[in-house]
Structures are given as C-alpha cells and as structure tokens.
Amino acid sequence: MFHVGHFAGEIPAGTLDAARAVADGLSMSPFDIGFDHVGHFAGKPGNLPMVLLGAESQPALMAFQATLQDRLLRAGLTAGVVHKRFTPHLTLFYGRQPIETRPIEPIRWHVDSFVLLRSVIGQSRYIEEGRWRLDAPASTSDTP
C-alpha cells in the first residue's frame, strides 16, 4: 500500500514510531476486495513479480490506500513510493519468465485489518511490526 523506505541496516530513529502513529490514528470501515486476473509486473530480468490483479473498480480499497499514503506523507515518511495511480495487486512470487495477463476465477475476501511489515532485504522474510483493525462505524465517511 505504501513503501516507507529501503533500509539496509537499522531503520532510522522515529520511522517505525511515525508509521505506527499514523496507523493508530486511521479510522476506516472494513471493506471487501477481489482479484480477477493473474499477470506480472516489470522487474529485473529473471526476477519478475507475478501478481494477482484486482478488478478495475474497488473504491473502498482505493480510498484506504489514498488515505494511508496521504497521512504517511504528512507524517514526514517521504522515502516511500508515492503512487500517482495505485494498482491493486497481490504479489505471489518472483519468476524468470513473464506470463500473459489472463482472467481467473475471482478471489475475494473481507478486509478488517491491516499490517505494517518489515521486509528483511535479501532474505524473503517479513517481520510484523504492528496490526490494526478497521473498525469505524459504517455510517462514517471514509474519505481522506
């Protein structure tokens, strides 16, 4: 949803605290998402991200991503990738050959929480740094 930064060693002081503070202050309703295509993104030769791709119209997911990005940027976390146009996807694995984008039987689920993950560079390992529930009442506005 938002790449906070690329750190080869220690994470700079305050970065995790700032990301956690943004997450603590985020209040949105749970929502449903779906993926209905499989394909790949551009990448280094022999290391192409193979992904599930989402349906074109996922307004709740798009609003969540935009709100999260806006608040992280306001908190000073500007080392991340700023998405001018966010592409809903789920990375499955990294492959050697590109695959043609094609439809699949839709995969859907209900999103009721989000996670801050630290990717350990070069180890294909992730450390959970925090988890937050989406629990705002459905009647509240979820717009940024």
Side-chain angles (χ1 to χ4, degrees), residues 30-49:
F31 54 91
D32 294 322
I33 62 171
F35 299 98
D36 58 9
H37 283 76
V38 65
H40 75 278
F41 285 158
K44 297 176 185 172
N47 196 27
L48 300 172

Side-chain angles (χ1 to χ4, degrees), residues 93-115:
F93 64 93
Y94 290 82
R96 296 178 191 265
Q97 300 294 324
I99 59 172
E100 183 179 327
T101 299
R102 61 182 175 267
I104 60 169
E105 188 70 30
I107 298 170
R108 303 184 190 285
W109 69 84
H110 185 70
V111 177
D112 61 5
S113 62
F114 64 102
V115 180

Side-chain angles (χ1 to χ4, degrees), residues 57-138:
S57 178
Q58 297 198 61
L61 174 61
M62 300 305 275
F64 175 76
Q65 189 279 332
T67 299
L68 180 63
Q69 176 172 283
D70 178 65
R71 293 184 183 177
L72 288 166
L73 290 172
R74 286 185 195 196
L77 297 172
T78 57
V81 176
V82 177
H83 298 283
K84 292 181 181 173
R85 185 179 185 287
F86 174 67
T87 302
H89 70 281
L90 177 71
T91 303
L92 299 170
F93 64 93
Y94 290 82
R96 296 178 191 265
Q97 300 294 324
I99 59 172
E100 183 179 327
T101 299
R102 61 182 175 267
I104 60 169
E105 188 70 30
I107 298 170
R108 303 184 190 285
W109 69 84
H110 185 70
V111 177
D112 61 5
S113 62
F114 64 102
V115 180
L116 174 61
L117 293 175
R118 180 191 320 187
S119 174
V120 181
I121 297 172
Q123 295 183 21
S124 298
R125 188 168 63 93
Y126 299 90
I127 299 168
E128 185 174 311
E129 296 289 353
R131 179 178 294 265
W132 295 265
R133 295 207 44 86
L134 296 175
D135 55 9

